[in-house]
Amino acid sequence: DVIAKSLGMTGKGRDLPKYIADKKQKIVAVIDGLEDLFQEFAQDKAQQTALRALLQDVPQWLEQQPFRCLGIIIFVRQDILTASVRQNSGQMKSRYQPYTLRWNRETVLRLVAWVADKANISLKLKPAGLQDMNEAELTETLRPLWGKKLGNDRSRQARSAPFVIAALSDYNGQIQSRDVVRLLKIAAAKSIDDDYWQDRVLVPKAIRRCLADCSHEKITEIELENEPLKKVFNKLRQLPADNKKSPFKLESIGLSTEDMRLLRENGVIIAYGDKYYVSEIFRLGLRFSQNAGKPKVLGLATLARQGL
């Protein structure tokens, strides 16, 4: 009905395909921003029903129409899909897996190289350009930007490119372009007064110290987009400092089963044994300390990739 009215049609929405066909037109409706309209999707049954109708019933109805003149593209977050389609959500995810919008390691490095090139940092790019470069080539190309490692080449420090990707990724392996660009901006500002490193633009100390700022801003943005997760974050903020440690045991933070599900589904935590680790991009902003002697950023990212 909404689509029909937006096209100036009078009558019932179910007659829309014929209305479009009679006009000899083809239309694709694009729907985005569902998280703004359905902010209580995690608990509200009515909102879940509406979302389920949109995500399942509408596409099925369109497939049954004799007039193939109306299509629909729906941009939906994974947590909204899981909350609204309780049954067969895995099957639905598999069906649309080829269309998943996700940044991988190679595309992240390509974005970094593109930004650095636009900033006139000499990267000695291949004549073929960024699009034809693989991950190894991009990693080598970015050495003038942030060095091979977060230290000298012979140090035992983490390699720069994998560290940045791991630090900005959640435990679902997802990374957002805005976080990548934000890190570059903040790290550049923090590198200006450092004259020690002559082989790179972004110095190790600046990269490490900018992560807290990146984390705070990411959480602020997520809380504007994901009301259920915001409520869980508020509960974590109210914990005593002694309880805000990663890893933690469930009994030390007192969250409900639903709260823990939200944290896991959004890549905030992973379970390892009877303990839970908080991903770096959230840990710093939530002011959780890292217990000494525990796996570091790259080690935890490896655990997450292994599905532990």
Side-chain angles (χ1 to χ4, degrees), residues 160-173:
S160 300
F163 176 86
V164 169
I165 293 173
L168 295 181
S169 299
D170 63 29
Y171 282 151
N172 290 328

Side-chain angles (χ1 to χ4, degrees), residues 285-298:
L286 293 171
R287 300 187 184 280
F288 269 62
S289 61
Q290 182 76 51
N291 285 339
K294 299 302 179 182
K296 301 301 182 183
V297 173
L298 289 173

Side-chain angles (χ1 to χ4, degrees), residues 259-289:
D259 291 337
M260 294 296 289
R261 182 187 66 80
L262 282 171
L263 292 176
R264 285 194 299 270
E265 288 184 355
N266 285 276
V268 180
I269 61 173
I270 54 169
Y272 185 47
D274 62 345
K275 296 181 180 179
Y276 295 87
Y277 289 85
V278 183
S279 60
E280 195 74 359
I281 191 61
F282 292 106
R283 181 183 71 81
L284 296 168
L286 293 171
R287 300 187 184 280
F288 269 62
S289 61

